[in-house]
Amino acid sequence: MSAMAALPPDGVAAQSILDEIAAMRAADHPTHGGRLFAYVYDPGLADLDALTAAAHALASPVNGLDPTAFPSLLTMENALVGAASTLLGGGRESTVVGNLTSGGTESLILALKSARDAHADVPDPTLVLPGTAHPSFFKAAQYLRVRPVVVPISAATLRPSVSQIEAAITDNTVLVACSAPAYPYGLVDPVAQIAAVAASRAVRCHVDACFGGWTLPYLRRLGIDVPPFDFSVPGVSSISVDLHKYAYAPKGVSVLLHRSDDLRAPQYFAYAGWPGYTVVNPTITSTRSGGPIAAAYATLRHLGDSGYLRLASLTWQAVRTLAGAISTVDGLRLVAEPESTVVSFTSSDEGLDLFVLADELASRGWHTQPQLALPPGSAAAPEGLARSIHMTVTASVAGQLRSFEADLTAAVSAARAQGPLVVDASLRELAAALTPEQLTLDTVAALAVGLGFALEATPGAATPLPARRAGINALVEAAAPPVREALFSAFLRLLQRPTYA
């Protein structure tokens, strides 16, 4: 039976289904072992998967829609929110409240919704945010019809100017956002100063700590100089932190915290004007599976405070070792000294192509995340930003450092031997001249096939991307950001099509 036949004429044996899924999973990047520097968070603990799977199974039939019907989820949710509040400057004596969401994106949407709905009289609500803010803020703004006002970052500091943020705040601003840290380079925004200028204008300030909120407090306890970013900072009105990142819980669980219940109140949706039951939702979803909540609860209970401190120590050691190894390579330089759990580097040598290097590392089993250059004049960084490689470092990387250093040396030598990738001039000119309107599905399909994409491959058989992607990255980098958005959207639309037996 083909794996594509999700609804076969007759039922399939349980073990056969599990074998099908395992075969499909074989094409995925490795989620364990410290060789994937994006998307997943691996603590390197052999017993944790079994525990969280068992906890998930115990609570997966339970629906968080009605906590009075299933009080187990209410108990676990309140405990998780309390743990996050305590870690992030709230705690028992504070007025901090919060809820669990499905992930950072939902947390950011709800933070913006709460701010917007608290000022329903504002005719053209705006969201002020730095150029390094996560795209989920822009998604939230699009969904909620709030206008984003981007404050550019400096190419020198990779942070926004506080005075420019203050200047961007108007009577229509409902929320100011900042990051702790921002994802691309792992740098913490000047939260205290940003929150102060927001408070001076009576505007809410949300700290996106989805990525690093669970590690920064532990890094501070280890003696690392972590700037203030949590509820200890006056003017911070809400914080989001993902438990499925550095709390190492399975996906997807995030926490959205508000400094007070009054600030949280507009987050809720309630409706009683129909014949059915009264619907009350604190989050975007109504039905919520208890599985992820129980799995997160089990993770935090199992690891405990001392466990997270140890994992943070391992992670920081790995960060420092990786940064040191990269700094010693001729032609590579750190984008910035690491402040959190990110190592980001670029090339200072025209003979060392970062995209080729990423391919060479991938061929040796190391999956990094190339970040395309931003052209001068972009809203996020008017001076432009060079391409870079992003590495999200987790505790499991600590056991792989010697192997990575050796493979990095070999990959750099191989990339130098190949030389910089040369993209056909006519293709580069075409990419630079394209407009989003020109990118029809047929055009993108033809381009994808020409670049080696497997659009017609059997789902699960292999990745649709070619093994080496330097040429694709270089070609896409030549296009303006709006064209990149249209290109990737169309490509995903081509991939996400129904399959039939």
Side-chain angles (χ1 to χ4, degrees), residues 329-330 332 352 357 360 364 407-417:
V329 175
D330 184 35
L332 295 181
L352 182 54
L357 176 59
E360 288 298 326
R364 292 164 173 80
D407 284 341
L408 176 64
T409 299
V412 168
S413 296
R416 284 193 188 281

Side-chain angles (χ1 to χ4, degrees), residues 79-101:
L80 291 170
V81 170
S85 169
T86 301
L87 193 66
L88 295 170
R92 186 180 302 275
E93 302 304 318
S94 74
T95 58
V96 171
V97 294
N99 295 95
L100 298 183
T101 72

Side-chain angles (χ1 to χ4, degrees), residues 345-383:
F345 64 93
T346 188
S347 173
S348 57
D349 184 346
E350 292 184 359
L352 182 54
D353 189 319
L354 279 186
F355 294 157
V356 175
L357 176 59
D359 282 348
E360 288 298 326
L361 286 170
S363 72
R364 292 164 173 80
W366 303 98
H367 304 283
T368 60
Q369 193 170 56
Q371 299 184 139
L372 307 183
L374 275 181
S378 65
E383 300 163 87

Side-chain angles (χ1 to χ4, degrees), residues 1-54:
M1 177 64 66
S2 166
M4 291 188 293
L7 190 64
D10 299 304
V12 177
Q15 189 56 52
S16 295
I17 297 168
L18 295 177
D19 290 344
E20 287 178 6
I21 295 173
M24 289 188 278
R25 282 280 287 111
D28 295 341
H29 283 337
T31 58
H32 294 66
R35 286 176 167 262
L36 176 58
F37 292 98
Y39 306 122
V40 297
Y41 298 80
D42 176 20
L45 300 174
D47 62 338
L48 191 57
D49 282 354
L51 170 65
T52 56

Side-chain angles (χ1 to χ4, degrees), residues 431-450:
L434 279 172
T435 64
E437 293 74 25
Q438 293 171 311
L439 291 174
T440 65
L441 281 183
D442 288 343
T443 300
V444 173
L447 179 61
V449 171

Side-chain angles (χ1 to χ4, degrees), residues 182-268:
Y183 180 86
Y185 311 120
L187 302 179
V188 179
D189 287 333
V191 174
Q193 296 89 334
I194 292 172
V197 299
S200 71
R201 300 290 296 274
V203 175
R204 297 188 187 203
C205 176
H206 179 80
V207 178
D208 174 14
C210 290
F211 183 59
W214 206 266
T215 53
L216 291 176
Y218 288 104
L219 293 180
R220 182 183 288 126
R221 284 169 56 180
L222 292 168
I224 312 306
D225 184 18
V226 175
F229 72 93
D230 58 17
F231 285 119
S232 65
V233 176
V236 169
S237 54
S238 55
I239 304 175
S240 51
V241 57
D242 289 358
L243 301 186
H244 59 226
K245 291 188 170 73
Y246 284 101
Y248 293 114
K251 299 181 183 300
V253 184
S254 177
V255 181
L256 173 59
L257 301 172
H258 294 272
R259 187 178 285 274
S260 70
D261 189 64
D262 287 344
L263 292 172
R264 179 176 66 165
Q267 175 186 309
Y268 281 71

